[in-house]
Amino acid sequence: MIGCRCEIAPPTLLLAVAEQGDPEVRDAALRTLLTSAALRSRRSALGPVLRRFGLSPADLAFLPAQAPDTGPENTVYDVAGGEEAALPGRRVRGTTDPPSGDAAVDEAFDGAAATAAFYREVFARDSIDGRGLDLVSSVHFGQRYDNAFWTGDQMVYGDGGGGVFVAGGLTRALDVVAHELTHGVTQFSAGLQYRGQSGALNESFSDVFGVLVAQRAAGTDAASASWLVGEGTLEPSLGRALRSMIAPGTAYAGDDQPADMDAYADLPADDDPRNDNGGVHVNSGIPNRAFAEAARTLGGEAWETVGPVWYEVLTGGRLAPTAGFEDCAALTLTVAGERYGGGSAEQDAVRGGWEAVKVRLPADKR
């Protein structure tokens, strides 16, 4: 991934809160945006460098909390209000330790464990990188920091409470935890560039698997699922969730996600947070809805029906880092045909999902 900020909250939402909130809320939102910008260089450099040399953070001894020869570990640290220079912070809980009594620590620990278990049990993937990468999380980042993000080698969570997220909401939401950790899966597989349509696919894959982790943990099937990302994490005055996969543009007040290509937001990939790096969060609603429509058409448990198709596309080596929506649509159709058979109900459902969002399909795939 190139230029990946990999944060759960879109910058457009933070800007809207800054513009409309009282001075205290405005300052918290702006502080979150500025801190995110300061972290960008580290996240921009790490992923491409590791990918070029075929390395995982586990191979680099100078990175925190990597324990060679002991297998994957799940460790949570407390930054105690510090920022980048304080990462990872004070070690609070490791794999064999009992619950700490700090809700953020224990929720981050449990969320990372559930995400790793999902990838191991459903897809036989050994941790985030497929090679046993230790799971490192830091909580209590910054002051009322309203975001969570993947740095390229670990998870970081703010406490929220700055006007966007309810206090403690980010670690409490399993789909948010799994969303951010899936940015690591993408980093070590397709390496989708974090700009424009490839960046929107990057965000969408994280939403897809974040929601699937939560659905599997709750035993929720495709028909009864809400298909909301981060449900209950936002301040109630803002809305019910960060994103709706089945009805993009309806999750919160001012939600600007298009539901299909007719409303695609053609934004420049620049440093202006209003443009969301070419609409990576904005336009992710289009492939999100394609997946959700396909899953609902098939019914049953989405991680067992269309989930394996999306996973193979993400990790199978055929999706280019610069791929767009049409590339992804064509590959999901191909993989669905390979896995379930040409003209199967599964392939037809995948086709119907992309047709619902008006992404053009190759003629030989119709």
Side-chain angles (χ1 to χ4, degrees):
M1 292 185 294
I2 298 176
C4 180
R5 301 182 192 186
C6 304
E7 292 140 344
I8 191 68
T12 51
L13 173 58
L14 291 164
L15 276 173
V17 169
E19 290 169 352
Q20 299 169 16
D22 61 33
E24 186 177 9
V25 168
R26 179 201 62 208
D27 290 350
L30 290 175
R31 189 163 54 246
T32 297
L33 280 166
L34 291 171
T35 301
S36 298
L39 289 161
R40 185 185 313 164
S41 60
R42 175 184 179 184
R43 298 198 294 277
S44 297
L46 185 60
V49 169
L50 293 178
R51 182 177 172 79
R52 177 176 179 178
F53 290 97
L55 296 173
S56 159
D59 299 313
L60 303 179
F62 65 83
L63 291 177
Q66 304 303 320
D69 304 322
T70 61
E73 296 289 332
N74 183 5
T75 311
V76 183
Y77 295 79
D78 181 359
V79 191
E83 296 186 356
E84 183 180 15
L87 290 173
R90 177 179 62 87
R91 183 187 183 281
V92 178
R93 185 176 177 187
T95 302
T96 60
D97 297 328
S100 69
D102 181 321
V105 168
D106 296 331
E107 288 161 357
F109 181 94
D110 292 343
T115 302
F118 172 89
Y119 280 111
R120 181 178 65 251
E121 295 166 8
V122 178
F123 300 123
R125 186 178 185 85
D126 185 9
S127 191
I128 301 308
D129 64 343
R131 297 169 55 191
L133 178 69
D134 291 347
L135 303 172
V136 180
S137 305
S138 295
V139 300
H140 304 311
F141 179 87
Q143 301 294 323
R144 301 174 70 201
Y145 184 77
D146 262 328
N147 230 326
F149 58 89
W150 168 256
T151 69
D153 59 351
Q154 70 159 95
M155 272 302 308
V156 179
Y157 302 91
D159 287 329
V164 178
F165 294 101
V166 296
L170 290 166
T171 51
R172 201 156 48 235
L174 178 56
D175 57 348
V176 169
V177 175
H179 169 108
E180 290 303 324
L181 286 168
T182 299
H183 280 304
V185 176
T186 300
Q187 173 183 326
F188 295 111
S189 54
L192 288 163
Q193 293 185 5
Y194 204 67
R195 57 188 293 142
Q197 286 196 12
S198 60
L201 287 172
N202 192 317
E203 278 296 323
S204 180
F205 277 110
S206 276
D207 277 351
V208 163
F209 290 106
V211 163
L212 292 187
V213 170
Q215 287 180 4
R216 184 172 184 262
T220 305
D221 63 21
S224 57
S226 70
W227 294 101
L228 295 173
V229 178
E231 185 173 10
T233 61
L234 293 180
E235 289 288 352
S237 61
L238 294 177
R240 56 182 179 155
L242 275 168
R243 288 179 283 282
S244 171
M245 293 184 65
I246 198 64
T250 66
Y252 62 86
D255 186 350
D256 52 0
Q257 281 203 315
D260 58 43
M261 290 299 293
D262 285 349
Y264 179 82
D266 190 8
L267 299 168
D270 56 21
D271 290 329
D272 188 336
R274 293 172 296 181
N275 295 325
D276 188 31
N277 215 29
V280 297
H281 293 91
V282 174
N283 291 314
S284 66
I286 294 171
N288 275 0
R289 183 181 167 211
F291 180 90
E293 293 280 4
R296 294 219 306 187
T297 295
L298 290 171
E301 296 169 331
W303 62 91
E304 293 185 344
T305 56
V306 285
V309 173
W310 257 246
Y311 180 77
E312 171 60 25
V313 168
L314 178 63
T315 64
R318 289 183 277 184
L319 189 67
T322 57
F325 293 172
E326 292 180 17
D327 302 312
C328 186
L331 273 174
T332 57
L333 280 173
T334 296
V335 171
E338 292 170 353
R339 184 178 181 87
Y340 298 111
S344 61
E346 289 83 0
Q347 190 183 51
D348 286 346
V350 171
R351 179 182 295 107
W354 289 109
E355 288 176 343
V357 298
K358 303 180 181 179
V359 168
R360 185 173 60 188
L361 300 171
D364 62 344
K365 298 296 182 185
R366 289 185 181 275

